[in-house]
């Protein structure tokens, strides 16, 4: 087990102890080179879909072009659909990722120790990225001109959409101590 997996396992344990989850939990971590999904104390799914890796593999521009995004969407969707059967039904999607926390703040969610980003709010944020991809100034939309940000938002979007998560709960690591 690598260091990132050990870290995720500790976070999973701490979240379970802190939130006393009544339903199954999927703990999502979108790293730079891979995405990890912990679905039990001993089961971690690894996807080769990190934010930096996906950006490098599919985007030639800091703000992706629409055809680059379409290609990335198809590839990310295929990887996510491959794990669909392993994700617990009726579970909660959680994360401790600061970058996903940042996405929630961009979506207009108030900053707290534990916040929820709905699928609808995340989709509206992705729509803002799409408007920037079509020429609207990024500063006007409050969207970073960063291919890794675009890739992370894409991975989160496809994960939530295709695995039927209505929201993701973002837990501040400080609240677990």
């Amino acid at each position: 087990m690598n260091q990132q997996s050990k870290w995720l396992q500790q976070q999973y344990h701490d979240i379970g102890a802190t939130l006393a989850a009544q339903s199954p939990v999927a703990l999502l971590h979108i790293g730079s080179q891979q995405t990890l999904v912990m679905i039990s104390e001993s089961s971690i799914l690894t996807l080769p879909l990190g934010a930096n890796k996906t950006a490098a593999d599919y985007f030639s521009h800091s703000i992706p072009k629409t055809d680059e995004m379409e290609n990335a969407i198809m590839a990310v969707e295929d990887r996510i659909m491959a794990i669909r059967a392993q994700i617990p039904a009726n579970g909660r999607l959680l994360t401790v990722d600061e970058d996903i926390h940042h996405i929630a703040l961009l979506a207009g969610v108030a900053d707290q120790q534990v916040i929820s980003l709905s699928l609808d709010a995340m989709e509206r944020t992705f729509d803002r990225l799409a408007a920037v991809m079509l020429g609207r100034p990024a500063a006007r939309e409050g969207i970073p001109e960063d291919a890794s940000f675009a890739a992370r938002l894409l991975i989160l979007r496809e994960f939530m959409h295709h695995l039927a998560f209505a929201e993701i709960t973002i837990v501040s690591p400080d609240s677990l101590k």
Side-chain angles (χ1 to χ4, degrees):
M1 183 178 290
N2 66 29
Q3 203 163 8
Q4 196 173 36
S5 295
K6 288 179 185 177
W7 172 83
L8 191 67
Q9 189 173 36
Q10 183 62 49
Q11 298 303 313
Y12 187 92
H13 175 76
D14 292 348
I15 284 175
T18 302
L19 299 180
Q22 299 297 319
S23 59
V25 169
L27 182 61
L28 177 67
H29 173 68
I30 303 172
S32 66
Q33 299 300 311
Q34 62 187 1
T35 294
L36 302 175
V37 186
M38 186 153 203
I39 55 174
S40 74
E41 289 278 347
S42 60
S43 182
I44 298 176
L45 307 173
T46 303
L47 300 168
L49 297 172
N52 294 349
K53 180 179 182 348
T54 301
D57 288 350
Y58 296 98
F59 304 153
S60 298
H61 304 86
S62 58
I63 295 292
K65 301 297 183 191
T66 54
D67 60 332
E68 293 173 344
M69 182 60 78
E70 286 301 320
N71 289 333
I73 287 171
M74 289 186 295
V76 168
E77 182 179 292
D78 287 347
R79 297 283 188 173
I80 289 171
M81 293 304 288
I83 66 163
R84 185 177 187 166
Q86 298 172 55
I87 301 297
N90 301 316
R92 293 178 61 191
L93 182 60
L94 301 170
T95 192
V96 293
D97 279 13
E98 285 297 321
D99 293 317
I100 296 175
H101 180 256
H102 180 68
I103 290 171
L105 297 179
L106 287 174
V109 177
D111 195 9
Q112 298 177 20
Q113 290 290 321
V114 178
I115 59 178
S116 291
L117 175 62
S118 71
L119 178 61
D120 288 340
M122 185 278 310
E123 286 285 1
R124 285 191 302 275
T125 305
F126 192 84
D127 289 345
R128 290 168 43 206
L129 172 61
V132 171
M133 289 174 10
L134 293 172
R136 187 171 292 164
R140 182 173 173 196
E141 290 298 327
I143 297 294
E145 293 185 53
D146 177 10
S148 292
F149 168 83
R152 182 172 281 104
L153 181 57
L154 165 65
I155 293 165
L156 178 62
R157 176 185 186 247
E158 297 303 309
F159 197 91
M160 291 178 71
H161 178 73
H162 291 290
L163 299 178
F165 286 107
E167 67 180 11
I168 183 168
T169 301
I170 303 145
V171 180
S172 167
D174 296 339
S175 69
L176 299 174
K177 296 177 179 171

